[in-house]
Every structure is written in C-alpha cells, then in structure tokens.
C-alpha cells in the first residue's frame, strides 16, 4: 500500500496514460514533429533528499502513444542530457538534494528547439501531529508558504481500516491549510496512521508544438507518522 501511494504521488499526472499506454512506444521520427505533446517535471522527494528532472513525449496529447526520441532529437535539463527510462517511457536525471527549478531544452529531429523553465518551487512540511481525532473535521495547517497562483497541495492519509487512503486537496490562493472532513477521517480506523503531502506548481508551458504540453514543479514532504483516534 505504502509503495503504491508513493508511486502515485510521483506520477499522478501521468497515471491514466500509464494504465492504457505504458506498453506501447513508438520512435518520434514516425510522427509529425509538430504533433508531439511534451510534459516536463522537476520533482523533489524529501524522504530521499533527491530531485528528479523528467521529460515525457507523447503523440498528439497527454493520453497519446509514448514516444522515444529518435536521433538527432535530444532533451536536457540545465545542460544535462536526460536518459530514457524504458519501463515508464520518460527521460530522467537524478540529483542529490533539492533543486528549486531549472530549464528543459528539447530539440526535435527537424532541429526545432523548445526551451521551458520553471523556478521558485516551494517547500512544504507537515506540522507536528501527535494524534488526529476523527470525531470532528481536522484543519491541517502545513509548514510553508501560503499558496500562490498555479499552486496546489494534496494530502493523503492512511489508517489501519482500509485498503485505500483518504485524499484531501487545496488550491485556493493564499490558503495555508486543508480541512480534512470528519466522514473521511472516520474511514481510517483507530491506530497508527500515515500521511503523504505534495505541493505542486504548474505554470503555463512557454514553448511547445501545436500539440501543447505541461510543466510542473513538485515538492513531496517528509512522510507523516501519527495516531488516529476518536
């Protein structure tokens, strides 16, 4: 269960496409270069203290066929070439520590170059929580800045009573907390609880083909261990 949630947090934006298209890949030189949809992500996981720079290419849209770049096409992050990861059909480079942004550069086989930058990825953390009581709703006030435009925070809480976690979401500008509804908390069961939290910054992509694309910066907080009680 815990492994599943961690994987979901890292790849939430791509999950529907993975479910249907992860086994299908084509080379990028088989499609119109102007129909290549791009997804760029800078993802930091505090639990690992690692940053992942990733780029995904698909035909036509986010649910299109996965594409592997054909030479001479390349993609880099801050000047470092990203390496294709065949199992999940994206390009990646890993870095030690927290990187708050950078620039992706993608050159297609026709020598068209697309440069997209993201900066100001913000940190977030759980407050100290000894016990979450389920009789009433719970306001979780995170440690970190309030939300700005194009930002959101997602929280998952898991307990001993179920095989799925409860999901809570906030995207209101200037917010610094999430209300966890009592009816959802009561699904968790009394006992040990675990929490995951992720802050996402998703500004508009700057340079893309006619198919468009997305760019996101993500910060995953240190996981929470707590108690769930009435």
């Amino acid at each position: 269960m815990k492994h599943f949630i961690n994987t979901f947090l890292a790849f939430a934006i791509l999950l529907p496409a993975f479910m249907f298209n992860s086994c299908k890949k084509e080379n990028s030189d088989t499609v119109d270069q102007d129909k290549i949809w791009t997804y760029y992500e800078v993802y930091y996981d505090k639990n690992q203290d690692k940053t992942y720079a990733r780029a995904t290419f698909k035909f036509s849209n986010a649910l299109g066929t996965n594409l592997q770049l054909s030479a001479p096409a390349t993609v880099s992050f801050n000047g470092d070439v990203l390496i294709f990861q065949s199992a999940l059909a994206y390009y990646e480079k890993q870095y030690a520590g927290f990187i708050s942004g950078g620039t992706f550069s993608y050159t297609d086989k026709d020598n068209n170059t697309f440069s997209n930058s993201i900066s100001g990825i913000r940190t977030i953390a759980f407050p100290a929580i000894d016990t979450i009581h389920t009789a009433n709703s719970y306001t979780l006030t995170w440690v970190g800045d309030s939300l700005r435009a194009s930002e959101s925070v997602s929280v998952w809480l898991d307990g001993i009573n179920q095989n799925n976690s409860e999901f809570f979401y906030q995207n209101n500008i200037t917010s610094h907390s999430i209300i966890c509804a009592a009816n959802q908390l009561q699904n968790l069961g009394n006992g040990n609880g675990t929490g995951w939290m992720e802050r996402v910054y998703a500004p508009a992509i700057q340079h893309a083909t006619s198919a468009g694309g997305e760019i996101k910066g993500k910060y995953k907080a240190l996981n929470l261990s707590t108690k769930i009680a009435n």
Side-chain angles (χ1 to χ4, degrees), residues 129-149:
I129 304 174
D130 179 64
T131 303
I132 295 176
H133 294 281
T134 62
N136 301 295
S137 62
Y138 176 77
T139 299
L140 192 160
T141 301
W142 61 75
V143 179
D145 294 336
S146 299
L147 292 182
R148 58 180 160 165

Side-chain angles (χ1 to χ4, degrees), residues 40 52 57 74 81 86 94 122-123 144 154 176 187 196 212:
Y40 306 105
Y52 301 82
F57 302 89
T74 61
V81 174
S86 182
Q94 301 180 15
R122 297 181 177 182
T123 65
S154 297
H176 60 279
N187 292 331
W196 301 266

